[in-house]
Amino acid sequence: MAQTVAALDISSLEAELASQSPQKILERSLSLFDNIAISFSGAEDVVLIDMAHRLNKAVKVFSLDTGRLHPETYQFIDRVRKHYGIAIDIMFPDPAQVEEMVTAKGLFSFYEDGHNECCGIRKVAPLRRKLSTLDAWITGQRQDQNPATRGKVPVVQVDSAFSSGDRALVKFNPLSNWTSADVWMYIRSYEVPYNSLHDRGFVSIGCEPCTKAILPNQHEREGRWWWEDATKKECGLHAINQPQ
């Protein structure tokens, strides 16, 4: 049965779910909301899609196409679509905004003045447009992905960054307490599709100009926006994690 955010006690729900398995958290989120979707881009997200599929839960899935993804990522998205027989809603940036930025600053301005403007146009604006149509969303965030920004990510929260006016948006992070090893154990155990770039040393995968393979024992976020400080390595999709 569909719920409204106002009818939920988020603190109590967080306390209830904090020690539950990702499957239980996912199942609870899908039971609470009809108008809910999984945000899909990487290994963690496809694990959530696989879990929902095994729970026999029909779930909406969306992905952001920035126009700068690796060819392997586009192939991965389509492989997931076919593997699970699901529709994936692809969100695109506003062409006029992209054109204006690139005309004024070139294709690689983020190397000089930071990634926030480019990510804001190519990622955050399309995400905001999508989230404005939902009551809740599900992400694959893990606390150990970036201790500087995600170290305290709860399994459920009100996403104040994308809530508006009297409309609150709920955000579920079922894999919050999982590690990268947990994710990959699941992928191997259930033969879940994954991005072929992972076989070439890429761990955290974003846009092609802002992603690189990492060396053994490097933290996964060292392969993202490597020219910036670790506390800034968020693109705005999870702005609620940033220190205010």
Side-chain angles (χ1 to χ4, degrees):
M1 179 180 295
Q3 295 285 316
T4 62
V5 179
L8 284 175
D9 182 336
I10 298 299
S11 296
S12 295
L13 187 61
E14 159 65 17
E16 172 195 334
L17 297 177
S19 60
Q20 297 293 316
S21 69
Q23 290 91 337
K24 289 291 186 182
I25 298 166
L26 184 62
E27 187 171 30
R28 188 85 161 93
S29 69
L30 296 175
S31 72
L32 286 171
F33 291 95
D34 293 332
N35 192 21
I36 186 172
I38 294 174
S39 173
F40 163 55
S41 66
E44 289 77 12
D45 312 317
V46 77
V47 163
L48 293 171
I49 293 172
D50 189 86
M51 287 178 177
H53 183 74
R54 292 177 185 279
L55 290 168
N56 293 315
K57 299 288 187 181
V59 60
K60 300 172 186 174
V61 178
F62 71 92
S63 190
L64 306 176
D65 181 359
T66 65
R68 302 297 295 270
L69 304 178
H70 297 78
E72 292 87 349
T73 299
Y74 290 111
Q75 293 163 7
F76 169 52
I77 292 171
D78 208 50
R79 193 160 63 250
V80 169
R81 179 184 67 82
K82 293 178 179 177
H83 183 84
Y84 294 103
I86 58 174
I88 299 178
D89 188 10
I90 307 294
M91 305 299 295
F92 300 92
D94 184 311
Q97 289 186 321
V98 174
E99 183 176 323
E100 181 180 0
M101 176 182 63
V102 171
T103 299
K105 305 177 97 174
L107 287 164
F108 300 96
S109 59
F110 38 82
Y111 290 140
E112 299 171 3
D113 58 13
H115 69 274
N116 286 337
E117 181 181 19
C118 188
C119 285
I121 292 171
R122 295 181 183 273
K123 291 185 175 183
V124 180
L127 177 67
R128 187 176 297 279
R129 192 168 74 246
K130 178 63 181 179
L131 294 182
S132 70
T133 70
L134 299 173
D135 295 323
W137 65 310
I138 302 166
T139 87
Q141 288 190 102
R142 306 187 331 267
Q143 291 182 19
D144 73 339
Q145 280 174 322
N146 189 350
T149 60
R150 301 187 182 185
K152 297 181 179 180
V153 170
V155 298
V156 60
Q157 59 193 150
V158 173
D159 192 345
S160 57
F162 291 98
S163 298
S164 58
D166 59 356
R167 177 189 164 277
L169 178 76
V170 176
K171 182 177 187 179
F172 291 91
N173 309 295
L175 301 181
S176 175
N177 297 312
W178 267 24
T179 65
S180 178
D182 293 326
V183 170
W184 284 97
M185 177 66 74
Y186 186 99
I187 288 173
R188 288 192 297 269
S189 297
Y190 293 102
E191 298 183 337
V192 174
Y194 64 87
N195 194 322
S196 62
L197 288 171
H198 289 300
D199 293 329
R200 291 160 45 194
F202 290 78
V203 180
S204 179
I205 301 171
C207 291
E208 187 277 333
C210 304
T211 302
K212 67 178 183 178
I214 60 172
L215 299 172
N217 299 317
Q218 279 189 296
H219 191 274
E220 61 188 84
R221 295 300 273 191
E222 291 187 65
R224 300 289 295 279
W225 305 297
W226 52 90
W227 62 94
E228 296 185 10
D229 184 83
T231 60
K232 299 178 180 178
K233 292 189 178 186
E234 292 285 353
C235 58
L237 302 186
H238 304 295
I240 193 174
N241 299 341
Q242 295 291 91
Q244 301 300 311

